[in-house]
Amino acid sequence: MSSSSDFQQDRHSFSGSPQKWNDFELPGDTLYYRFTSDMSNTEWGYKFTVTAGHLGRFQTGFEILKQMLSEDRVVPHLPLAKIWEWQVGVACRQTGHQRLKAIHLLLKIVQCSAQRDCDLTLLKPLWQLFTHMENNLCHDVAKPGILLPLHRALAELFFVTENRVTELGSLQEYLLALNTEDHLHRCTAQ
């Protein structure tokens, strides 16, 4: 197997039992392979699986979805409600840069979605993370004015989402769906 038709670049040769085969990666988007039998026995041959995307599943999916959401002619054909649901789940499960990238995609979906494409109440776990960060920011007077990238990304997501639900005339329902009863009691008491 190789990344070139002359089998000179990134060449990997295997022979014998399947235990002798190792996983490997090839650069590029094309795989060339040649199977040669020595006719020494009557086995079936070899079976192998090719998986695209050397960047890793998250990074590959992020790049593809980001590009699709950037194409105005593609967006109307996307199942935005389902993608929204999946992406909220990804943003809740990931950490670090992957969470930031997932939030970036959520922001793009909010900006390009039609009126009721996305169930915005699914953002509740991210809202709770955001309010927790807000509460900690208020208590941490040692570092005034410094927001972490995640905090900034969530602030932008909720700012844009709030504007979206205001346009739709459902701000009150949205805010009630995101908050817990305890939080509403604390806000009322304040």
Side-chain angles (χ1 to χ4, degrees):
M1 293 179 209
S2 175
S3 61
S4 65
S5 59
D6 62 0
F7 294 92
Q8 298 303 309
Q9 297 176 2
D10 306 303
R11 182 182 173 138
H12 297 270
S13 296
F14 299 98
S15 178
S17 70
Q19 288 76 24
K20 294 182 181 180
W21 287 52
N22 297 317
D23 289 349
F24 62 93
E25 291 186 17
L26 289 179
D29 60 359
T30 305
L31 163 77
Y32 296 91
Y33 69 95
R34 179 178 14 208
F35 176 75
T36 306
S37 173
D38 63 3
M39 307 243 199
S40 63
N41 61 32
T42 57
E43 299 292 328
W44 281 91
Y46 292 100
K47 175 182 173 183
F48 58 91
T49 303
V50 176
T51 305
H54 75 283
L55 295 174
R57 287 180 20 195
F58 180 88
Q59 184 65 26
T60 302
F62 169 78
E63 293 297 336
I64 291 169
L65 189 52
K66 182 175 80 170
Q67 186 61 38
M68 289 171 53
L69 291 169
S70 298
E71 298 288 334
D72 291 338
R73 59 187 168 84
V74 174
V75 171
H77 304 286
L78 296 174
L80 287 179
K82 195 49 122 172
I83 293 171
W84 173 262
E85 185 179 331
W86 292 331
Q87 201 59 36
V88 169
V90 168
C92 291
R93 285 188 306 274
Q94 296 298 333
T95 59
H97 290 295
Q98 290 183 341
R99 178 177 274 168
L100 282 173
K101 288 178 177 184
I103 291 169
H104 171 77
L105 292 177
L106 288 173
L107 184 58
K108 287 183 86 65
I109 295 169
V110 167
Q111 291 169 331
C112 68
S113 66
Q115 284 197 343
R116 299 255 182 215
D117 274 346
C118 305
D119 180 1
L120 299 175
T121 61
L122 294 175
L123 291 173
K124 188 172 186 168
L126 292 175
W127 175 255
Q128 291 170 341
L129 174 63
F130 177 69
T131 55
H132 178 73
M133 293 175 95
E134 286 284 300
N135 290 338
N136 286 345
L137 184 70
C138 293
H139 297 302
D140 189 3
V141 291
K143 302 175 198 168
I146 298 176
L147 294 182
L148 298 172
L150 176 59
H151 194 165
R152 286 194 314 266
L154 286 169
E156 184 176 5
L157 174 64
F158 286 110
F159 177 74
V160 170
T161 304
E162 187 177 313
N163 285 338
R164 191 78 164 135
V165 294
T166 301
E167 290 170 9
L168 298 172
S170 56
L171 179 61
Q172 186 174 357
E173 296 86 15
Y174 166 72
L175 292 175
L176 285 173
L178 290 185
N179 285 292
T180 63
E181 193 171 322
D182 287 343
H183 184 259
L184 292 174
H185 287 299
R186 278 195 310 267
C187 290
T188 304
Q190 286 177 352

